[in-house]
């Protein structure tokens, strides 16, 4: 479901982007066509205008010529002189306008217009010359003949221009129609694609928001679960602590009554009953030890927040622990070697002492027969990267590595996880007394101090590696 | 020779809700022949009834014991509360209070001495040990020290 939504989201986003791109390309091409069409229309208009100008200039020349013939006043010749000047330029312009056209017919017409304009100019010159000889007997006849020829040429020019304009007008109509169609199409398609793009973006946006909401919900749920879990854990620890605390009371009384019974009524009981009572007593004692250990173990977690931790000197902690076990150590004739490095670690003095105390007791308990216990503690600083089981965030931190070794009977590496379990024992209580809580307590303390403890492989005895974060 | 004369036997008040414990302590006191008057109350608030001569103790009137043996886990008012209130009342705060409890928690020990407890004794689990503890209480509090 989630994967599908994501795929759909990506697809609609991609579609929206593609649509936007096509809008760009399409708009560019349409605009270019529209501009081309507009240029063509403007061109046609220019041709129409210029051809009309040619005719009008030719008329101007004719008007000037008529005035002069009638009056012989040279001022009438001014429009004629101007017209002949303009006409050349105008004709060239028309020529250039139609030059690149593929329409051969229009070109031919322009050439004919050229021809008629030249003819007309020649006629006017002849007429002007003839009008200056009024004494010639054929004056009138010549004049009339020349006038007729001029009119004929003019009519022909008119016809040529008309046909030229007719063609251009048709072209203009066609082009305007084309342009209108193009505009309508462009607008329609542009609107359609834009709407589609908006639709796709809205869809993608909707999916995105849904996905974000879903994740927010999930996050909230996760937070709630985590806090529930933490609370349940705390409740459970509290429960274990309170239960073991309260169970101690009746147990203690059972022990007191049974010892009282044995003591006060020894004679009446007889050997057999006394033996059974003693067994009961030692079982009760064992249970009491277990509960006391359980109390210590669960009590570790109830010691408030780790924010109360203070900087402790590792050398001082270890020195104190050794002093506390002076009697035991000297009774066992144990040798303790410690490099006395004053590394600062954040923690609780009592718990750190308990950690070393359990390790020391362990070493003193599991000794090889007829051999002096030899315990050595070496410390050095390493980075998180060099530490096994380090998380990514611990890589830049610095840790104190404590190598705790003895020359005792050692622990088989196949039990490396089991030895840290609560009440886990590798030997019978008859051979080595104890409840199997020591290393579990060690692990708990180290964990509470954000460190790691593990059993290390060694040739002689047992070796524990403990990592504690170095205080700044 | 006892410092307190026979006419003025030391009064020890034991506050404990557990009848078995009261019985065992009484037996231990009798067997050790401790020269004192051992009286019992069954919960925290009864301690104050005893001291002020109220409720159950109205007829006997107010009585100031020379020593209080105080259990921690009691209904109504627990031992810590009782100790706190006794030490806050000028009329009673001179009475030595000995904590006599199952708890062995170092936290409790520290806290209760801080609150003004005179001793902290953990209830032993065999009758022999209990008897020894009671004998020591007798030797120390009744025969050795001067009580107010």
């Amino acid at each position: 479901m989630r994967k599908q939504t994501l795929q759909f989201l990506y697809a609609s986003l991609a579609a929206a982007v593609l649509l936007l791109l096509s809008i760009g390309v399409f708009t560019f091409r349409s605009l270019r066509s529209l501009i081309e069409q507009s240029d063509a229309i403007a061109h046609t208009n220019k041709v129409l205008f210029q051809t009309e100008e040619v005719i009008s200039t030719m008329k101007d020349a004719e008007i000037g010529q008529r005035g002069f013939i009638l009056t012989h006043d040279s001022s009438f010749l001014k429009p004629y002189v101007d017209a002949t000047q303009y006409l050349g330029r105008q004709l060239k312009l028309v020529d250039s306008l139609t030059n690149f056209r593929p329409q051969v017919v229009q070109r031919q017409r322009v050439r004919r217009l050229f021809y008629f304009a030249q003819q007309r100019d020649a006629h006017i010159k002849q007429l002007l010359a003839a009008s200056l000889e009024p004494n010639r007997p054929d004056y009138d006849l010549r004049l009339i003949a020349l006038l007729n020829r001029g009119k004929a040429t003019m009519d022909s020019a008119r016809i040529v221009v008309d046909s030229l304009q007719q063609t251009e007008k048709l072209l203009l109509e066609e082009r305007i129609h084309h342009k209108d169609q193009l505009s309508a199409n462009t607008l329609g398609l542009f609107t359609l694609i834009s709407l589609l793009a908006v639709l796709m973006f809205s869809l993608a946006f909707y999916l995105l928001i849904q996905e974000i909401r879903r994740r927010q919900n999930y996050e909230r749920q996760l937070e709630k679960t985590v806090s529930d879990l933490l609370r349940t854990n705390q409740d459970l620890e509290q429960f274990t602590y309170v239960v073991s605390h309260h169970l101690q009371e009746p147990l203690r009384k059972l022990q007191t009554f049974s010892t009282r019974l044995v003591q006060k009524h020894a004679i009446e009981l007889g050997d057999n009953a006394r033996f059974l009572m003693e067994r009961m007593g030692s079982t009760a004692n064992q249970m009491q030890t277990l509960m006391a250990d359980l109390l210590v173990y669960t009590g570790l977690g109830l010691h408030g927040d780790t924010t109360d931790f203070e900087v402790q000197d590792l050398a001082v902690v270890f020195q104190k622990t050794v002093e506390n076990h002076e009697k035991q150590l000297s009774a066992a004739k144990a040798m303790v070697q410690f490099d006395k490095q004053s590394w600062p670690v954040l923690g609780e003095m009592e718990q750190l002492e308990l950690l070393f105390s359990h390790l020391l007791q362990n070493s003193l308990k599991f000794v090889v027969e007829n051999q002096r216990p030899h315990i050595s503690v070496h410390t050095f600083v390493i980075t998180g990267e060099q530490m096994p089981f380090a998380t990514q965030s611990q890589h830049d931190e610095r840790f104190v590595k404590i190598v705790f070794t003895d020359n005792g009977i050692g622990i088989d590496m196949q039990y490396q996880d089991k030895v840290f379990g609560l009440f886990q024992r590798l030997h019978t209580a008859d051979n080595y007394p104890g409840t199997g809580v020591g290393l579990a307590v060690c692990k708990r303390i180290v964990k509470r101090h954000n460190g790691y403890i593990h059993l290390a492989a060694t040739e002689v005895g047992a070796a524990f590696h403990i990592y504690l974060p170095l205080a700044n | 020779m006892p410092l307190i004369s026979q006419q003025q036997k030391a009064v020890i008040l034991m506050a404990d809700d557990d009848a078995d414990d009261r019985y065992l302590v009484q037996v231990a006191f009798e067997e050790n022949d401790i020269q004192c008057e051992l009286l019992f109350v069954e919960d925290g608030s009864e301690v104050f009834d005893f001291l002020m001569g109220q409720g159950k103790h109205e007829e006997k009137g107010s009585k100031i014991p020379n020593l209080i043996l105080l259990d921690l886990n009691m209904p109504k008012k627990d031992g810590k509360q009782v100790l706190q209130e006794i030490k806050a009342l000028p009329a009673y705060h001179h009475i030595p209070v000995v904590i006599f409890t199952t708890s062995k928690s170092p936290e409790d020990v520290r806290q209760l001495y801080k609150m003004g407890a005179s001793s902290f004794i953990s209830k032993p689990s065999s009758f022999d040990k209990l008897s020894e503890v009671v004998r020591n209480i007798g030797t120390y509090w009744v025969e050795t020290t001067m009580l107010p």
Side-chain angles (χ1 to χ4, degrees):
Chain A
M1 169 71 198
R2 203 179 126 222
K3 209 175 164 193
Q4 251 179 354
T5 317
L6 269 182
Q7 277 173 349
F8 212 52
L9 174 69
Y10 293 147
S12 43
L13 269 177
V17 169
L18 272 178
L19 281 170
L20 274 183
L21 265 175
S22 67
I23 285 179
V25 171
F26 172 75
T27 310
F28 176 75
R29 291 176 68 171
S30 299
L31 271 176
R32 205 172 54 185
S33 306
L34 269 174
I35 290 167
E36 273 170 11
Q37 281 306 311
S38 294
D39 282 352
I41 288 164
H43 188 270
T44 314
N45 276 327
K46 224 169 176 178
V47 171
L48 280 172
F49 175 75
Q50 283 304 331
T51 44
E52 197 55 49
E53 282 287 283
V54 168
I55 284 293
S56 139
T57 311
M58 282 169 82
K59 278 179 187 160
D60 284 350
E62 201 163 298
I63 289 162
Q65 162 232 323
R66 276 183 196 154
F68 182 76
I69 291 170
L70 284 175
T71 60
H72 289 266
D73 183 349
S74 66
S75 69
F76 279 99
L77 274 180
K78 176 105 179 35
Y80 163 71
V81 174
D82 288 347
T84 45
Q85 273 171 5
Y86 292 143
L87 197 62
R89 256 183 280 155
Q90 283 167 348
L91 277 167
K92 257 185 207 151
L93 203 60
V94 174
D95 185 41
S96 72
L97 280 173
T98 49
N99 200 10
F100 58 91
R101 294 293 184 73
Q103 293 132 310
V104 188
V105 187
Q106 292 291 77
R107 285 285 293 158
Q108 281 170 352
R109 283 172 183 152
V110 170
R111 245 176 256 128
R112 272 168 66 201
L113 188 61
F114 257 83
Y115 169 75
F116 287 129
Q118 275 168 357
Q119 283 278 306
R120 181 70 195 126
D121 193 41
H123 293 155
I124 288 171
K125 278 190 178 117
Q126 283 171 353
L127 252 171
L128 289 177
S131 72
L132 290 174
E133 294 168 321
N135 301 326
R136 274 180 67 156
D138 57 348
Y139 174 76
D140 287 343
L141 278 174
R142 266 179 84 196
L143 224 58
I144 288 164
L146 280 169
L147 276 171
N148 276 332
R149 273 164 69 188
K151 186 182 175 292
T153 314
M154 196 62 194
D155 287 346
S156 303
R158 182 78 249 180
I159 289 164
V160 170
V161 167
D162 278 351
S163 55
L164 249 173
Q165 288 188 340
Q166 195 57 41
T167 308
E168 286 297 327
K169 272 178 187 158
L170 278 174
L171 209 59
L172 186 66
E173 239 169 76
E174 194 188 305
R175 281 173 180 171
I176 286 173
H177 178 69
H178 190 189
K179 190 188 152 216
D180 287 348
Q181 218 166 29
L182 206 64
S183 304
N185 283 350
T186 306
L187 277 174
L189 212 62
F190 184 81
T191 315
L192 190 73
I193 297 179
S194 300
L195 277 175
L196 263 175
V198 167
L199 201 74
M200 283 293 153
F201 266 120
S202 310
L203 188 67
F205 197 62
Y206 171 74
L207 288 173
L208 205 65
I209 283 182
Q210 266 201 332
E211 184 65 19
I212 288 171
R213 282 221 184 112
R214 212 183 53 75
R215 277 174 198 222
Q216 273 178 337
N217 270 340
Y218 181 69
E219 220 168 275
R220 261 200 295 273
Q221 239 168 12
L222 203 69
E223 267 169 30
K224 196 181 167 292
T225 314
V226 166
S227 79
D228 281 356
L229 202 68
L230 276 177
R231 211 182 37 237
T232 314
N233 242 350
Q234 270 172 357
D235 287 352
L236 203 66
E237 282 196 349
Q238 191 74 36
F239 172 79
T240 318
Y241 188 78
V242 169
V243 164
S244 34
H245 190 83
H246 281 255
L247 284 179
Q248 272 190 320
E249 195 103 5
L251 182 65
R252 184 183 48 78
K253 280 192 290 180
L254 265 176
Q255 287 171 296
T256 314
F257 283 126
S258 79
T259 52
R260 174 85 179 144
L261 185 67
V262 174
Q263 189 196 45
K264 193 141 195 211
H265 306 278
I267 304 155
E268 298 140 67
L269 278 174
D271 288 346
N272 199 23
R274 222 175 30 242
F275 171 74
L276 289 175
M277 285 305 296
E278 272 161 17
R279 294 304 299 167
M280 271 172 66
S282 77
T283 309
N285 283 343
Q286 198 190 339
M287 186 168 171
Q288 198 197 19
T289 322
L290 273 172
M291 297 234 286
D293 286 344
L294 190 63
L295 263 177
V296 170
Y297 183 80
T298 47
L300 293 175
L302 299 170
H303 265 228
D305 218 316
T306 51
T307 48
D308 301 334
F309 279 177
E310 282 170 15
V311 177
Q312 311 288 355
D313 183 340
L314 213 54
V316 172
V317 176
F318 194 71
Q319 194 57 42
K320 267 192 169 179
T321 318
V322 169
E323 278 164 19
N324 288 342
H325 292 77
E326 200 75 71
K327 256 191 194 168
Q328 271 177 284
L329 288 165
S330 60
K333 294 196 173 94
M335 286 191 293
V336 180
Q337 221 177 31
F338 174 52
D339 58 15
K340 296 197 171 90
Q341 297 261 47
S342 288
W343 301 119
V345 287
L346 264 187
E348 218 170 273
M349 181 60 113
E350 222 169 81
Q351 291 200 355
L352 290 173
E353 268 185 56
L354 196 60
L355 163 69
F356 287 123
S357 161
H358 277 297
L359 288 174
L360 275 181
Q361 283 173 24
N362 229 39
S363 294
L364 290 179
K365 193 192 291 178
F366 300 104
V367 287
V368 175
E369 230 176 307
N370 300 323
Q371 190 179 305
R372 273 184 78 180
H374 189 187
I375 297 159
S376 77
V377 181
H378 292 287
T379 56
F380 31 93
V381 167
I382 58 160
T383 63
E385 256 174 311
Q386 295 167 281
M387 187 171 69
F389 329 111
T391 59
Q392 193 70 37
S393 60
Q394 287 175 320
H395 277 195
D396 297 329
E397 277 181 62
R398 293 203 302 158
F399 289 81
V400 188
K401 181 179 180 180
I402 305 160
V403 178
F404 190 105
T405 48
D406 63 31
N407 60 343
I409 58 167
I411 302 167
D412 196 321
M413 280 305 280
Q414 64 169 309
Y415 302 120
Q416 54 175 319
D417 294 323
K418 204 183 168 192
V419 284
F420 292 106
L422 185 62
F423 298 141
Q424 291 293 334
R425 300 171 47 85
L426 300 179
H427 306 278
T428 58
D430 295 337
N431 293 333
Y432 297 95
T435 53
V437 82
L439 288 176
V441 165
C442 289
K443 188 173 184 179
R444 200 139 195 237
I445 291 172
V446 172
K447 208 172 162 191
R448 247 194 116 225
H449 286 73
N450 300 315
Y452 293 99
I453 181 169
H454 69 97
L455 185 70
T458 170
E459 280 173 23
V460 184
F464 292 99
H465 291 179
I466 303 139
Y467 304 87
L468 294 172
L470 196 69
N472 295 319
Chain B
M1 167 164 162
L3 290 167
I4 292 170
S5 66
Q6 293 292 88
Q7 285 80 21
Q8 281 182 296
K9 261 190 185 176
V11 177
I12 297 178
L13 178 69
M14 180 176 181
D16 199 317
D17 60 314
D18 194 308
D20 294 331
D21 272 338
R22 290 198 303 267
Y23 164 74
L24 287 166
V25 167
Q26 188 160 24
V27 171
F29 263 83
E30 279 164 10
E31 287 196 356
N32 284 295
D33 196 21
I34 313 280
Q35 292 305 306
C36 68
E37 193 183 347
L38 182 64
L39 297 168
F40 295 99
V41 288
E42 293 173 13
D43 61 58
S45 59
E46 207 193 322
V47 172
F48 294 97
D49 289 346
F50 179 93
L51 292 175
M52 295 169 185
Q54 314 169 339
K56 263 197 213 170
H57 302 272
E58 209 172 338
E59 285 170 31
K60 294 171 214 158
S62 146
K63 203 166 191 179
I64 308 291
N66 299 91
L67 182 73
I68 297 175
L69 285 178
L70 187 63
D71 184 25
L72 287 185
N73 238 326
M74 285 187 294
K76 292 186 191 169
K77 257 181 203 165
D78 70 12
K80 282 179 193 170
Q81 254 177 302
V82 172
L83 179 64
Q84 201 173 21
E85 284 176 32
I86 287 177
K87 291 301 168 190
L89 291 167
Y92 311 117
H93 81 250
H94 63 278
I95 307 171
V97 177
V98 171
I99 306 299
F100 193 63
T101 176
T102 327
S103 169
K104 282 177 187 162
S105 143
E107 197 112 338
D108 281 346
V109 176
R110 213 178 10 236
Q111 194 189 358
L112 284 150
Y113 273 116
K114 215 170 166 182
M115 287 165 71
S118 298
S119 277
F120 190 106
I121 299 171
S122 187
K123 284 179 187 170
S125 45
S126 77
F127 189 79
D128 284 350
K129 291 257 176 67
L130 178 67
S131 183
E132 199 183 311
V133 164
V134 167
R135 198 160 49 244
N136 286 336
I137 291 176
T139 339
Y140 184 74
W141 289 106
V142 180
E143 291 171 23
T144 315
T145 50
M146 298 276 288
L147 285 170

